[in-house]
Amino acid sequence: MAEGILIENVVKTYGSGDTAVHALRGVDMAVAKGEVVGLIGPSGSGKSTLLKCLGAVIEPTSGKMTIGDQCIYDNGWKVRDLRALRRDLIGFIFQAPYLIPFLDVTDNVALLPMLAGKPNAMARKEAHDLLDALDVGHRAAAMPSQLSGGEQQRVAIARALINRPPVILADEPTAPLDGQRALAVVGLLNDMARQFDTAIIIVTHDEKIIPTFKRLYNIRDGRTVEEIPGAPVPEIAA
Amino acid sequence: MISLAGRDILHGWGKFVLTGVGLGLLIGVTLSMAGVYRGMVDDAQALLDNSRADLWVVQKDTLGPYAEPSSLTGDSERPIQAMRGVAEAVGVTYLTMQIAHGDKDVRVMVVGAEMGEPGLPGQPTHLIAGRHIVRGHYEAVADVKTGFAIGDRVKVRRNFYTIVGQTSRMVSSGGDPMLFLSLKDAQAAQFQKDSDAILRQRARVAASPLLNPPGNPAVALAVNAAQSDNSNVNAVLVTITPNAEPDDVAAAIRRWQRLTVYTRAQMEEILVEKLIANSARQIAMFLVILSIVSAAIVAFIIYTMTIGKIREIAVLKLIGTRDRTISWMILQQALGLGLIGFVVGKIAASLWAPFFPKYVLLLPSDSILGFFAVMLICTLASVLAIQAALKVDPAEAIGG
Ligand SMILES: Nc1ncnc2c1ncn2[C@@H]1O[C@H](COP(=O)(O)OP(=O)(O)OP(=O)(O)O)[C@@H](O)[C@H]1O
Ligand SMILES: [Mg+2]
């Protein structure tokens, strides 16, 4: 199976000395291209920290990370332009949508391709298609402040997908959604993964969607444990 | 491409425009200050233009007649008139004084010019109403800015004068409107002593054995007559014949009449570089301070606007937007603010310029210069905000 994401022995310590927080103590994880895996764990166990490291938002303390066949980190960044790396390789979905308040829904989604020089009309057409697929096409002309929390979240998902990145990192993406919509979003991410060979990690507390994962990682004490598929879902301390 | 700056401005355009208007009023003040200076220079030039002289002959070693007092005997013009290259030479007097008009005082420059063909140097140029002075006494032509109407009677020193004509833009280098009298009347106004002074002076002459030698009363009479002579002038204005060179004629007058002579260029230098030099520096100081204040305000506004968007900027960085794009967004907004400010300032300055007591001249070239200065200031002012934006850590955008 072709590797989409490979994380080897990644350590992240916030601060140093007495106040040091050992958020990750040596995490291993592998996600194949086209695969969606879940990441669960109690609050404060380091889930968001892991996604931020992989997303090149913060720098790990040590370890090795590979996306596709490109090693991006090996006890130090292997890529000079981290922002370009984020733009080209990674789609982010956060718990809060963080849309740009002065752009309408369409342009929030179409922003990256437009900034990259794609003709506006073409970028907006792609944005519309994605928004339709996410069931918010009818709100395409609205401003973010006029949307419900769930609608905003789906717009943020569309924004993460627009560049068809090889990796999507989703940190509790379904938190503001109701059960039906949450399942729909996970279904859509699964479709994305299959269709575009995307490797996707979804951090979640959501009991309803955990059973949909074929593979599931549980993180505790800063280390990951792979759960046996089909086994009863471990209790999550929220 | 998409203009992030434009979209952000459109989103909150009310606030943006109001800020721009506020900045604009400040820019308007700055442009007006420059206009005040240009007005002063223009007043000086108008004064020289309107005298229609090529040369100014003044008391030896003075900067007269505008920048320093100067006095010449009334017959000085005659030998000048006879010199080669001189077309006309006429004596003039200038006296700045307060004149009561209704219940207000008006500050005017009383000009005494020899009567004769209108068009003689020193005479009022084209009238906008009424006629020139034709009688030797008690008639006056006033600039409209005095507020005197045709038919008004105004009191200058001891006598009343009837306004018979009006001019416009005839002002002293200080911007005071002119009041033209016949030379004789103006000389009387400037040099005539009051009765008590004359009596005292005659008593002094009578008491002096030198001036009033016993047995020869004619000496005292002659002394008194000489002392009450009012025929002095402040300057002689000279026009030259078409093919004469001003510098040559000036040199000849200097040499043969032993008087100080200024050409047009030298007179302009005296007025602009000596007479109004201090005011000009005063204004320049104001311009510098206003520019600094404007820059500080733009910097502050742009900085606050940027800090208010720090989260969006972090998200933009997180999803991979280039620093260039973010900097350009902030710079564009600063320039936009400057543009609004400049347009508002230009309009404001034009609207309120006529209400200034002195002439305010808004030169297009000053506006163009002002525009580039505003743009430069806005660019510099955005540096602080851009620095702040570039320092933002994308990790701050996301919680966890
Ligand atoms: N910037 C930081 N500086 C210091 N410590 C931090 C920082 N960010 C996170 N931590 C600590 O690291 C640990 C892991 O945090 P993280 O946000 O990864 O947890 P999480 O698994 O995402 O929790 P939750 O489920 O509540 O979102 C926590 O103890 C947290 O307090
Ligand atoms: Mg978290």
Side-chain angles (χ1 to χ4, degrees):
Chain A
M1 196 154 56
E3 289 296 0
I5 303 168
L6 188 60
I7 297 174
E8 296 162 87
N9 199 25
V10 164
V11 173
K12 174 66 188 177
T13 308
Y14 289 109
S16 59
D18 287 349
T19 55
V21 178
H22 301 281
L24 304 176
R25 295 167 187 269
V27 168
D28 296 303
M29 206 167 163
V31 184
K33 283 183 179 166
E35 188 188 27
V36 181
V37 304
L39 179 61
I40 56 173
S43 181
S45 56
K47 304 183 294 293
S48 297
T49 301
L50 181 60
L51 289 203
K52 286 179 194 170
C53 287
L54 184 59
V57 181
I58 59 175
E59 184 168 358
T61 308
S62 65
K64 189 175 177 190
M65 303 188 293
T66 309
I67 290 179
D69 43 19
Q70 185 181 5
C71 173
I72 62 163
Y73 184 89
D74 188 0
N75 292 314
W77 292 115
K78 295 286 150 204
V79 186
R80 255 188 62 234
D81 189 349
L82 295 181
R83 214 173 295 178
L85 177 141
R86 288 201 294 270
R87 183 184 60 226
D88 299 334
L89 298 186
I90 293 160
F92 284 103
I93 305 168
F94 320 106
Q95 182 167 356
Y98 303 126
L99 300 176
I100 307 295
F102 54 81
L103 297 179
D104 64 20
V105 163
T106 307
D107 285 352
N108 257 286
V109 176
L111 181 62
L112 269 187
M114 286 197 285
L115 286 179
K118 190 172 262 194
N120 290 358
M122 200 187 284
R124 288 187 176 128
K125 168 83 177 61
E126 286 173 17
H128 278 149
D129 293 347
L130 259 177
L131 288 166
D132 281 339
L134 283 159
D135 205 14
V136 272
H138 60 293
R139 303 296 277 142
M143 299 306 282
S145 60
Q146 299 166 329
L147 301 186
S148 75
E151 286 169 332
Q152 288 185 28
Q153 186 63 333
R154 278 174 282 154
V155 175
I157 293 171
R159 179 178 64 187
L161 301 183
I162 187 86
N163 261 358
R164 310 280 180 237
V167 168
I168 288 178
L169 305 175
D171 198 348
E172 303 188 34
T174 59
L177 304 179
D178 59 34
Q180 190 102 30
R181 287 253 153 72
L183 286 172
V185 162
V186 174
L188 188 99
L189 289 174
N190 271 298
D191 290 347
M192 276 287 304
R194 259 197 306 280
Q195 200 178 335
F196 298 104
D197 247 5
T198 317
I200 301 182
I201 300 176
I202 301 178
V203 168
T204 189
H205 281 128
D206 196 334
E207 310 271 357
K208 290 179 293 296
I209 64 169
I210 289 173
T212 66
F213 294 116
K214 292 200 188 68
R215 279 176 66 225
L216 195 60
Y217 282 90
N218 193 349
I219 185 166
R220 47 176 59 141
D221 298 332
R223 288 196 176 82
T224 37
V225 182
E226 193 172 347
E227 296 293 333
I228 298 101
V233 176
E235 200 177 303
I236 303 164
Chain B
M1 271 298 269
I2 174 171
S3 164
L4 286 174
R7 299 292 288 271
D8 185 28
I9 290 171
L10 281 182
H11 186 61
W13 66 270
K15 198 172 104 200
F16 193 82
V17 166
L18 275 182
T19 317
V21 169
L23 178 68
L25 295 179
L26 197 66
I27 292 173
V29 172
T30 313
L31 289 176
S32 301
M33 287 312 287
V36 166
Y37 170 72
R38 296 295 184 191
M40 281 165 54
V41 172
D42 199 70
D43 276 349
Q45 252 143 13
L47 171 66
L48 300 184
D49 285 343
N50 291 333
S51 351
R52 276 174 304 189
D54 298 313
L55 302 173
W56 280 257
V57 182
V58 299
Q59 185 179 342
K60 198 163 167 53
D61 299 330
T62 67
L63 291 172
Y66 311 116
E68 278 182 10
S70 148
S71 183
L72 299 171
T73 54
D75 52 10
S76 313
E77 86 244 23
R78 228 159 288 155
I80 297 171
Q81 175 80 69
M83 295 182 70
R84 198 137 62 93
V86 172
E88 302 275 3
V90 295
V92 284
T93 64
Y94 296 103
L95 175 64
T96 302
M97 60 188 295
Q98 300 283 127
I99 287 185
H101 182 242
D103 47 5
K104 273 192 299 189
D105 253 10
V106 186
R107 191 168 181 77
V108 301
M109 188 188 209
V110 174
V111 182
E114 250 161 78
M115 298 206 314
E117 290 291 300
L120 229 53
Q123 286 262 337
T125 45
H126 50 268
L127 301 182
I128 58 167
R131 59 170 173 81
H132 283 277
I133 296 170
V134 289
R135 283 169 45 202
H137 286 298
Y138 311 126
E139 285 189 348
V141 168
D143 189 84
V144 279
K145 261 186 73 185
T146 55
F148 304 159
I150 288 178
D152 278 3
R153 280 163 56 78
V154 295
K155 191 173 180 212
V156 182
R157 289 282 151 86
R158 274 186 264 168
N159 300 314
F160 279 94
Y161 296 83
T162 306
I163 309 295
V164 296
Q166 278 184 324
T167 62
S168 79
R169 270 268 337 104
M170 299 286 284
V171 290
S172 77
S173 60
D176 302 317
M178 285 180 174
L179 182 72
F180 291 90
L181 305 181
S182 73
L183 184 62
K184 285 256 164 343
D185 285 348
Q187 283 170 328
Q190 188 173 153
F191 301 111
Q192 204 171 57
K193 297 180 177 114
D194 62 62
S195 316
D196 287 341
I198 295 174
L199 281 180
R200 274 196 301 275
Q201 178 214 320
R202 287 194 182 152
R204 256 196 317 276
V205 171
S208 159
L210 250 178
L211 301 178
N212 189 12
N216 195 352
V219 175
L221 282 179
V223 168
N224 281 333
Q227 286 196 341
S228 57
D229 174 42
N230 290 331
S231 65
N232 277 8
V233 293
N234 299 122
V236 173
L237 302 184
V238 174
T239 53
I240 57 171
T241 51
N243 38 22
E245 273 299 315
D247 285 322
D248 297 344
V249 180
I253 298 174
R254 272 183 213 118
R255 175 145 185 237
W256 297 110
Q257 310 297 329
R258 288 192 297 280
L259 292 170
T260 296
V261 185
Y262 296 111
T263 60
R264 164 76 200 231
Q266 289 168 328
M267 211 58 201
E268 216 169 290
E269 195 189 305
I270 290 175
L271 288 184
V272 176
E273 274 160 43
K274 296 200 168 73
L275 197 59
I276 62 176
N278 256 337
S279 315
R281 274 197 287 275
Q282 189 97 339
I283 288 172
M285 195 62 213
F286 248 115
L287 283 178
V288 169
I289 292 174
L290 280 171
S291 307
I292 294 174
V293 170
S294 312
I297 289 180
V298 178
F300 177 73
I301 292 168
I302 292 294
Y303 188 76
T304 350
M305 271 169 54
T306 307
I307 294 302
K309 279 197 298 279
I310 221 76
R311 161 133 288 155
E312 286 81 59
I313 290 172
V315 172
L316 286 173
K317 283 185 167 185
L318 188 73
I319 63 176
T321 311
R322 288 195 200 92
D323 280 346
R324 197 153 36 98
T325 311
I326 293 167
S327 308
W328 178 225
M329 171 176 87
I330 296 169
L331 179 61
Q332 269 181 307
Q333 290 184 338
L335 294 179
L337 204 59
L339 190 68
I340 294 180
F342 177 78
V343 170
V344 170
K346 180 84 183 88
I347 293 172
S350 313
L351 287 181
W352 66 44
F355 297 101
F356 275 73
K358 281 217 227 165
Y359 187 48
V360 174
L361 177 60
L362 301 168
L363 289 179
S365 62
D366 284 351
S367 298
I368 292 170
L369 199 72
F371 176 77
F372 286 111
V374 167
M375 288 305 160
L376 182 72
I377 285 175
C378 286
T379 307
L380 293 179
S382 64
V383 167
L384 210 65
I386 289 176
Q387 270 180 347
L390 294 188
K391 273 214 297 275
V392 174
D393 183 356
E396 281 170 23
I398 39 170

